[in-house]
Structures are given as structure tokens and as C-alpha cells.
């Protein structure tokens, strides 16, 4: 591009760009290429700037699509980039910033062109754009090289070989972003893509030997959370009046063609809250999630998923050799720390879910940590702010809790961690509470929110499953947590009575349809709400049967609201489970009567503690242990692939897609 321009709108008049997209072929040896890739800019890092760039350059890209079959100029640009990258690692070691800068610029141009190409043509047509060469009279296409695959391998190689430094940050970001764009065909298809030339290159071609190194590098990019260095425009300074570093460009650096896209540069003053200071970390995580969720080939399991499933801790020297072909080692402590710090983003929560669900080594490591509160607290905060989160993020947070509660040691240890002054929990001041009690409070709050607002049966089921898994290990429940358990039962009881009343009314004649329409979907079915009530009774029973003596506050709350349970005593769906609750309520009620009337709260609690030690456990009926295990649905890709690409669409740094072009998901999904 080379020449100065004051605004992006001047792109279409840029002399070098017009030559690139024109009708004349340009030899790879022509000095033109040095001029073209000697411009100064910082890659756009927000979608507004990128939208402006794309809308301005789309006509240029279309002109190149039309002329490239005759000129082969796109392939020539690609080969210029490839020639620059061959020496990229040594250029980094020598601090050859000019060389890296030009390679970066060439890749940025290729990335911008590819993004338009992909929105305009099929994979087969894109492949042809790489293969077109200059058609001089009397010559034919030479060589059998697949330039498309060469570029993909080159990008992978660049990501894993070039060290992350200030001078390489931008080109590494562009390499990751270009791979994301090449995979973005999925956005333009409603159905999940299962066969693709690009998938073939990545999962069967020359890229496969680099699988584990690519996954490891992307994970380390996420772990390192490197802040974007100062714009590259400051690297090249004018040496003397009238002299330029290269093609007279240094004198125009400050007002160069692309400075309009710098963060805080001319024409762009982003809100500090909207800045993304970690573009490489964010983009690397998105690419990793896209790769991990590619569908398996007919005879080829996804190697990136295999790598994610099998990697081990660098600290684990005793680990036996893995049978997985793409395994590697990474520092689990660093990964755990990064995951704890980044849970505010959907993509970090999805990575945590993926690792917990698929990598047994990492799950075992997490469950052995003694600082689980650092991980659990951000997850609880996601659920607490359920009104502000998209439903997918809430699902992932809840499933993470469900997976953690499958472990008995976790369920015990969370009651031993004491927290002070939880500032984000605003319903009530919690000056001191165990992590276990806080977890119960947040899950119950999520259930209550779901009952009144979202009415999502899937969310409901997983909340109850997590509570059920924990119930036998409840210890020293905070009095507020105990109250909320009974309050939730009271709410369910009220719903049950309302539905029962409406069912009775409907048998007698028409019932007010407006009231009926406002009821949650599940509450319109008496059987469903009775299943939920039974689950709550089983949770309470599980706690009483296994750890009653550890939970005087729950017994106190149960006695205080004992009348709630009377209506279910003779109900055929609850008779068996009510036997234990009846026995406990009767036993403690009797002891309180013996202690006299007008008892203080402290005296009641003292009687309960004494009674807990005297309660004959053999009188409690044994029930099967409550244990629920998370299992992915059949064809999980139908959920995860649209979800991952919605994250790319909404969160990728500096990428913009026109909403009306997206087929994979609707704009309001999530």
C-alpha cells in the first residue's frame, strides 16, 4: 500500500492497491511488492473499526476475485508472504523489526482478502484463487504445489516457532486470526460442517504432526495473558530530515494509512471499558475452542480434541507414557491460575468445562487443590448474576459445578473453607460463611430465578442434581442456607397447591386462561412439579440421614416450618420419603415440648444439638445414595459448535461479520 492516506475511505484510490487488484500480472521479483507491504498501522482491535475497513475494501476484494484468474496476483502476494516467513525466526533472534513488520503487513492483507473471499465463494473456489498463476502466451501452469495447504501449514508453523515478544506480538496475532477466518465457513452454514478441505488439511494433512505443539502454544498464549505492546508505528523513527527508513515511509508513520485503526489513535478513541488489552490471549483461546470442537472425520478422530484430552502436568514426572498420539505436558498450576482469573468470559468458562469433562489428568489435579475457592467463587458469581449472563454461560457454569460435585472429597472440603464479607452477594450481608453454604445459596437462588423467569427445565434439573450430589456431605450449614432450602420447598409447595387448585377448577369448567398462561411450563404439568418436590424432599432426607448431627440449623429451619410438610404425609408420591422427615420432626418436637415453653433461640438450638446426639439412627429408613453424573447429550456438536462460533462472532478481537450473512445461529441465541 505504501503511499500515505489520511482516511480509510481513500483506500479505493490507493495506487498500489489498484495495481494489485487490476488486470496486469505483477512478477514476484517486482519492487512493487516491497512498496505494497511497507505501510504502517496497528491491526484493528474492535469490530467497529474492522467493519469500516471491510465495508471500504469489499469492492477491492471483489475486483481481485474477478481479475485474479488471469493475473494470479493473489497467489503472488501469498508467495511473497511465504518467502518472508521462511526467515522469520532468525529475524526475531536478530531483532530485525523491518522484516517482521513487512511479513506482518503481507499477512494482514491476505487475512482481509480471505475474509471477503470466504463470504463470497465456496471452499473449492477459494482453493482455485490460490492456484491461479499468470497466464502468459505459450506457458502453462507449473508445479503441483498446493499453495492453500502451504499457507495453512506456514501459519501453524509460525504460531509454534516464533517466540512471543513485543516485536512479534502483532504477526502472531494475525496468524491466529487468519486461521480463525479460514475456519469461519461454518458461520455461513446452518448445518454442522462435517467434511471440509480446510478440516482435511488440519486433521489429515501436513499440519497434523504439529497438533500437540499448536494446542500447547495456544494454551500458553491464554495462560500468559500478554498485554498488547505499544503500536508498531513507534518502532520506525525518522533518521534525518528528508531521509526515510524505507521507501520514505518513516516520515509518514504518524499519519500513515492505517493509524486510523490504532487503539487511541487518530479517529479512534475507544471507551477504556471496551478496550481489549489481551487480543492474542483472547484470539488464541477462541481458535483453540474452534479446533477442539471440529467434528471427527469418518476414520479420523479430531487430533486437537485428542491433545486436549490427554495432556499432562509438567510437574508430574511419574506419569507413564500416554497411548494418545498428541499428548504433551503443560504447567497445570499456571493454567489453573489463568482459569481462575478469567472466568468472566464465556470462552474461559467453556475451556474450564472442556478440560474438566475431557481431561482426567487436569480434573484430578483441580480436585486435589486446597484453594478451590479461587475457582468456585468466580463460577458462583456467574450464576449469581444470572440476569446479566447469556443462558449458555450459565449452563456451562452450572455443569462445571455438577462435575465438581460428583467428587465426595470436594463436597466435604467446601464446608471447611470459610469466607468473609462476600461483597457481590447483596440479598443479605454474609460476614462469614463456608464455601459450601454459599454454593447452596447461589444454586437455590438460580432455581428460584428459573422458576419465575426463564422456566428452563434443563437448568432446573442440573441445579437439583448438584444439590443432591452435595446433600449427604452438608456440614455446619449457615442458618441462612438452611432457611433458603426450606424456603425453596415452601415455594414449590405453593406452586403445587396452585396447580392442583387450577386442575380441580378446570375439571369444573373454564378457568381464567390469563392466569394459566402465566404459569411456568413445567408447573402446568402436575407430575413434573411433584418430581421436583420429591427431589427436594430426598435432598433434605439425605442430609438428615447422613449428617443430621452436623446440621442443627437445618433441623431448626425444618421445625420452624413443620406445617409445610403435613400435606405431603399421606400423598402416595411422597409417603415413603416423608417417614424419615416425620420421625425427625416428631422426635425434636417432643424434646422441645419437654424443655418447656417460651424457649429462646439459643435454648432451642441447644436442645437440637443434644437431641441430634440421642437420635436413634436405625429408625431412619435407608434410601439409595443420591448421585448424579453429568453426561453429554447425543451429538453434542449441535450445541457446542454454534455456541463456540457465537463467541467468535461476539468476542473475536477486530473481526466483524454482517449479521444477515450468519446462518449457524440466530443473533439472539445464547
Amino acid at each position: 500500500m505504501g503511499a500515505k492516506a489520511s482516511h480509510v475511505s481513500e483506500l479505493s484510490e490507493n495506487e498500489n492497491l489498484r495495481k494489485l487488484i487490476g488486470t496486469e500480472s505483477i512478477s514476484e521479483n517486482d519492487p512493487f511488492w516491497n512498496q505494497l507491504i511497507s505501510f504502517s498501522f496497528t491491526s484493528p482491535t474492535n469490530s467497529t473499526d474492522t467493519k469500516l475497513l471491510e465495508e471500504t475494501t469489499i469492492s477491492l476484494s471483489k475486483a481481485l476475485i474477478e481479475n485474479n484468474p488471469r493475473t494470479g496476483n493473489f497467489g503472488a502476494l501469498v508467495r511473497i508472504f511465504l518467502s518472508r516467513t521462511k526467515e522469520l525466526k532468525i529475524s526475531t533472534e536478530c531483532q530485525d523489526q523491518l522484516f517482521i513488520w513487512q511479513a506482518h503487513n503481507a499477512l494482514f492483507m491476505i487475512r482481509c482478502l480471505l475474509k471477503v473471499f470466504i463470504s463470497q465463494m465456496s471452499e473449492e473456489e477459494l482453493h482455485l484463487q490460490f492456484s491461479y498463476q499468470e497466464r502468459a502466451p505459450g506457458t502453462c501452469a507449473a508445479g503441483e504445489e498446493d499453495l492453500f495447504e502451504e499457507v495453512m501449514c506456514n501459519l501453524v508453523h509460525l504460531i509454534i516457532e516464533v517466540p512471543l515478544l513485543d516485536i512479534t506480538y502483532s504477526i502472531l496475532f494475525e496468524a491466529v486470526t487468519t486461521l480463525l477466518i479460514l475456519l469461519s465457513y461454518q458461520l455461513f452454514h446452518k448445518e454442522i460442517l462435517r467434511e471440509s478441505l480446510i478440516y482435511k488439511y488440519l486433521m489429515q494433512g501436513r499440519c497434523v504432526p504439529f497438533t500437540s505443539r499448536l494446542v500447547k502454544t495456544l494454551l500458553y498464549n491464554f495462560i500468559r495473558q500478554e498485554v498488547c505492546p505499544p503500536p508498531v508505528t513507534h518502532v520506525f523513527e525518522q533518521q534525518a530530515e528528508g531521509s526515510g527508513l524505507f521507501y520514505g515511509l518513516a516520515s509518514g508513520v504518524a499519519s500513515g494509512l492505517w493509524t486510523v485503526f490504532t487503539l487511541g489513535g487518530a479517529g479512534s478513541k475507544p471507551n477504556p471499558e471496551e478496550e481489549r488489552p489481551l487480543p492474542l490471549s483472547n484470539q488464541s483461546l477462541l481458535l483453540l475452542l474452534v479446533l477442539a470442537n471440529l467434528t471427527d472425520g469418518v476414520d479420523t478422530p479430531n487430533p486437537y480434541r485428542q491433545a486436549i484430552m490427554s495432556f499432562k502436568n509438567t510437574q508430574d514426572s511419574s506419569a507413564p507414557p500416554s497411548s494418545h498420539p498428541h499428548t504433551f505436558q503443560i504447567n497445570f498450576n499456571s493454567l489453573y491460575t489463568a482459569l481462575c482469573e478469567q472466568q468472566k468470559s464465556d470462552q474461559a468458562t467453556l475451556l474450564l468445562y472442556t478440560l474438566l469433562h475431557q481431561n482426567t489428568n487436569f480434573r484430578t489435579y483441580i480436585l486435589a487443590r486446597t484453594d478451590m475457592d479461587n475457582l468456585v467463587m468466580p463460577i458462583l458469581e456467574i450464576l449469581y448474576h444470572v440476569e446479566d449472563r447469556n443462558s449458555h454461560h450459565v449452563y456451562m457454569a452450572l455443569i462445571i459445578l455438577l462435575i465438581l460435585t460428583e467428587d465426595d472429597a470436594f463436597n466435604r472440603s467446601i464446608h471447611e473453607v470459610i469466607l468473609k464479607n462476600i461483597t457481590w452477594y447483596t440479598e443479605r450481608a454474609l460476614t462469614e460463611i463456608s464455601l459450601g453454604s454459599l454454593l447452596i445459596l447461589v444454586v437455590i437462588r438460580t432455581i428460584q430465578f428459573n422458576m419465575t423467569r426463564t422456566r428452563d427445565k434443563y437448568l432446573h434439573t442440573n441445579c437439583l442434581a448438584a444439590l443432591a450430589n452435595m446433600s449427604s456431605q452438608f456440614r455446619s450449614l449457615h442458618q441462612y442456607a438452611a432457611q433458603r432450602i426450606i424456603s425453596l420447598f415452601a415455594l414449590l409447595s405453593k406452586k403445587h397447591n396452585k396447580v392442583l387448585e387450577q386442575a380441580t377448577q378446570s375439571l369444573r369448567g373454564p378457568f381464567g386462561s390469563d392466569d394459566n398462561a402465566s404459569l411456568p411450563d413445567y408447573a402446568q404439568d402436575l407430575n413434573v412439579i411433584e418430581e421436583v418436590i420429591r427431589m427436594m424432599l430426598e435432598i433434605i432426607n439425605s442430609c438428615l440421614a447422613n449428617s443430621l448431627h452436623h446440621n442443627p440449623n437445618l433441623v431448626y429451619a425444618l421445625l420452624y416450618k413443620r406445617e409445610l410438610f403435613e400435606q405431603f404425609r399421606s400423598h402416595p408420591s411422597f409417603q415413603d420419603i416423608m417417614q424419615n422427615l416425620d420421625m425427625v420432626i416428631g422426635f425434636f418436637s417432643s424434646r422441645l415440648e419437654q424443655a418447656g415453653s417460651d424457649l429462646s433461640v439459643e435454648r432451642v438450638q441447644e436442645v437440637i444439638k443434644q437431641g441430634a446426639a440421642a437420635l436413634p439412627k436405625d429408625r431412619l429408613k435407608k434410601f439409595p445414595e443420591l448421585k448424579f453424573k453429568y453426561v453429554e447429550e447425543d451429538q453434542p456438536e449441535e450445541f457446542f459448535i454454534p455456541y463456540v462460533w457465537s463467541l467468535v462472532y461476539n468476542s473475536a478481537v477486530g473481526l466483524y461479520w454482517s449479521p444477515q450473512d450468519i446462518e449457524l445461529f440466530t443473533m439472539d441465541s445464547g
Side-chain angles (χ1 to χ4, degrees):
M1 295 182 194
K4 280 197 221 174
S6 59
H7 194 269
V8 68
S9 60
E10 297 179 28
L11 275 176
S12 57
E13 303 306 318
N14 182 277
E15 185 182 331
N16 287 326
L17 282 178
R18 297 214 63 82
K19 188 172 180 180
L20 172 69
I21 66 170
T23 56
E24 291 184 16
S25 296
I26 308 163
S27 164
E28 290 171 39
N29 300 318
D30 195 310
F32 161 82
W33 295 107
N34 270 332
Q35 295 173 8
L36 180 72
I37 61 176
S38 295
F39 57 87
S40 191
F41 75 103
T42 297
S43 302
T45 52
N46 64 62
S47 60
T48 307
D49 290 344
T50 311
K51 180 181 179 184
L52 180 61
L53 169 65
E54 186 157 316
E55 289 173 350
T56 309
T57 58
I58 195 162
S59 60
L60 299 172
S61 303
K62 287 183 175 178
L64 183 60
I65 292 170
E66 186 177 333
N67 293 326
N68 189 51
R70 292 182 298 280
T71 66
N73 284 346
F74 177 70
L77 173 61
V78 168
R79 280 187 283 273
I80 292 295
F81 164 68
L82 293 175
S83 70
R84 292 291 192 281
T85 57
K86 285 186 178 126
E87 304 298 326
L88 208 53
K89 193 173 181 185
I90 195 162
S91 298
T92 305
E93 291 166 359
C94 299
Q95 296 283 301
D96 186 347
Q97 298 178 30
L98 178 64
F99 201 89
I100 297 166
W101 172 57
Q102 288 190 317
H104 166 270
N105 290 351
L107 180 54
F108 177 76
M109 292 180 68
I110 291 166
R111 184 254 274 194
C112 291
L113 291 167
L114 283 173
K115 190 160 180 305
V116 180
F117 286 4
I118 285 170
S119 67
Q120 303 285 324
M121 62 183 72
S122 67
E123 270 192 328
E124 293 73 21
E125 292 168 318
L126 179 63
H127 190 235
L128 285 174
Q129 293 293 334
F130 281 91
S131 64
Y132 293 134
Q133 296 187 32
E134 177 186 358
R135 293 186 184 175
T139 63
C140 58
E144 292 294 321
E145 68 166 346
D146 186 339
L147 196 60
F148 195 177
E149 184 170 21
E150 181 69 27
V151 166
M152 294 204 67
C153 286
N154 189 282
L155 292 171
V156 170
H157 206 254
L158 193 160
I159 292 166
I160 65 177
E161 287 288 348
V162 175
L164 174 52
L165 307 169
D166 276 5
I167 59 171
T168 60
Y169 191 102
S170 291
I171 194 167
L172 289 169
F173 171 78
E174 283 303 327
V176 171
T177 302
T178 306
L179 280 178
L180 259 183
I181 284 169
L182 285 166
L183 288 158
S184 68
Y185 269 109
Q186 179 63 80
L187 280 172
F188 309 110
H189 292 80
K190 196 176 283 291
E191 299 78 24
I192 302 302
L193 293 181
R194 299 180 187 279
E195 290 186 4
S196 152
L197 180 63
I198 293 166
Y199 294 2
K200 186 178 176 184
Y201 288 151
L202 285 169
M203 299 205 292
Q204 298 175 38
R206 290 162 48 201
C207 297
V208 173
F210 305 121
T211 295
S212 58
R213 290 181 66 194
L214 179 58
V215 170
K216 183 175 183 175
T217 303
L218 295 174
L219 274 173
Y220 269 127
N221 286 349
F222 165 69
I223 288 168
R224 288 175 67 173
Q225 301 288 314
E226 290 284 350
V227 175
C228 189
V232 74
T233 51
H234 301 307
V235 170
F236 308 104
E237 296 178 0
Q238 190 171 356
Q239 310 269 316
E241 189 176 344
S243 67
L245 176 65
F246 195 66
Y247 288 97
L249 206 77
S251 60
V253 159
S255 58
L257 174 61
W258 295 98
T259 53
V260 70
F261 297 114
T262 61
L263 273 176
S268 173
K269 293 186 179 177
N271 183 327
E273 293 179 7
E274 293 174 2
E275 282 189 29
R276 298 182 183 277
L278 308 169
L280 180 62
S281 172
N282 183 70
Q283 222 85 326
S284 295
L285 178 52
L286 290 171
L287 177 58
L288 181 64
L289 291 171
V290 168
L291 291 171
N293 285 281
L294 295 178
T295 53
D296 293 333
V298 180
D299 300 310
T300 318
N302 178 345
Y304 303 96
R305 188 180 301 124
Q306 287 184 316
I308 283 171
M309 288 171 65
S310 61
F311 68 77
K312 295 183 170 72
N313 192 357
T314 50
Q315 308 300 311
D316 187 3
S317 56
S318 64
S322 173
S323 58
H324 289 280
H326 303 293
T327 192
F328 60 90
Q329 288 187 305
I330 200 165
N331 187 308
F332 277 11
N333 182 57
S334 301
L335 179 56
Y336 177 81
T337 302
L339 286 166
C340 291
E341 291 172 351
Q342 297 298 315
Q343 285 308 304
K344 283 190 175 143
S345 80
D346 278 73
Q347 46 268 40
T349 305
L350 181 54
L351 176 63
L352 175 57
Y353 159 79
T354 302
L355 296 178
L356 271 175
H357 180 57
Q358 298 185 3
N359 189 310
T360 53
N361 302 317
F362 192 64
R363 181 168 68 247
T364 302
Y365 172 84
I366 281 185
L367 289 167
R369 294 281 303 205
T370 55
D371 60 349
M372 280 294 293
D373 51 309
N374 288 337
L375 186 70
V376 175
M377 287 289 281
I379 298 298
L380 294 183
E381 205 169 342
I382 293 167
L383 292 175
Y384 186 79
H385 296 294
V386 60
E387 300 96 331
D388 307 320
R389 301 288 179 182
N390 71 70
S391 60
H392 287 12
H393 198 185
V394 172
Y395 285 154
M396 290 298 102
L398 189 53
I399 292 168
I400 286 166
L401 286 186
L402 179 55
I403 292 171
L404 293 173
T405 62
E406 291 170 15
D407 183 75
D408 283 339
F410 170 82
N411 294 332
R412 279 193 302 274
S413 66
I414 54 175
H415 294 288
E416 296 164 7
V417 178
I418 303 302
L419 309 166
K420 294 182 186 293
N421 300 316
I422 315 302
T423 54
W424 48 262
Y425 194 97
T426 56
E427 269 93 339
R428 175 169 170 158
L430 297 175
T431 52
E432 187 170 291
I433 189 170
S434 72
L435 180 60
S437 287
L438 182 64
L439 198 160
I440 292 164
L441 283 174
V442 173
V443 171
I444 286 175
R445 185 179 183 278
T446 307
I447 293 172
Q448 290 182 321
F449 173 82
N450 188 44
M451 286 173 68
T452 56
R453 298 276 289 280
T454 53
R455 303 193 289 274
D456 185 322
K457 188 178 177 183
Y458 181 82
L459 194 69
H460 222 64
T461 304
N462 283 291
C463 283
L464 289 167
L467 284 178
N469 282 347
M470 293 188 290
S471 60
S472 65
Q473 302 285 346
F474 285 171
R475 292 287 187 278
S476 305
L477 289 185
H478 190 280
Q479 66 180 65
Y480 185 51
Q483 287 169 19
R484 299 310 294 161
I485 291 171
I486 304 304
S487 295
L488 175 58
F489 186 82
L491 183 62
L492 289 165
S493 175
K494 189 175 176 183
K495 291 275 185 192
H496 178 267
N497 293 343
K498 189 173 182 181
V499 175
L500 203 56
E501 182 185 335
Q502 290 176 344
T504 307
Q505 291 279 358
S506 64
L507 291 174
R508 294 176 185 162
F511 187 78
S513 58
D514 288 327
D515 286 343
N516 197 46
S518 67
L519 278 172
D521 293 343
Y522 65 83
Q524 292 176 29
D525 182 343
L526 200 57
N527 290 331
V528 173
I529 197 166
E530 286 182 355
E531 284 176 16
V532 176
I533 286 174
R534 177 164 182 97
M535 176 72 95
M536 279 306 298
L537 287 171
E538 287 184 353
I539 288 167
I540 295 167
N541 177 70
S542 172
C543 175
L544 296 176
N546 292 284
S547 54
L548 180 146
H549 55 296
H550 289 300
N551 291 292
N553 285 332
L554 182 63
V555 176
Y556 184 97
L558 194 64
L559 292 171
Y560 192 72
K561 293 283 187 179
R562 70 190 86 175
E563 72 283 352
L564 280 175
F565 300 89
E566 289 175 5
Q567 61 174 307
F568 300 108
R569 193 175 289 152
S570 57
H571 195 293
S573 298
F574 311 122
Q575 273 181 325
D576 57 339
I577 202 85
M578 279 302 302
Q579 287 177 23
N580 281 352
L581 269 71
D582 260 350
M583 195 278 282
V584 169
I585 290 170
F587 176 82
F588 283 99
S589 296
S590 171
R591 292 184 77 92
L592 286 172
E593 284 172 16
Q594 292 169 19
S597 58
D598 297 326
L599 301 176
S600 67
V601 172
E602 291 76 15
R603 177 62 183 140
V604 171
Q605 289 175 331
E606 187 184 331
V607 171
I608 288 171
K609 285 177 183 175
Q610 291 169 351
L615 178 73
K617 297 282 172 50
D618 54 354
R619 286 175 57 190
L620 293 173
K621 183 179 177 183
K622 298 292 181 191
F623 286 88
E625 187 180 12
L626 287 181
K627 273 296 170 192
F628 293 88
K629 190 172 176 62
Y630 169 71
V631 180
E632 271 188 353
E633 307 255 341
D634 290 338
Q635 296 185 306
E637 66 274 10
E638 299 288 342
F639 171 83
F640 285 103
I641 290 177
Y643 179 33
V644 169
W645 277 107
S646 73
L647 296 182
V648 176
Y649 176 84
N650 288 305
S651 308
V653 178
L655 291 180
Y656 168 82
W657 285 274
S658 176
Q660 58 263 33
D661 293 340
I662 305 301
E663 293 285 339
L664 181 61
F665 52 83
T666 56
M667 289 303 114
D668 58 352
S669 65

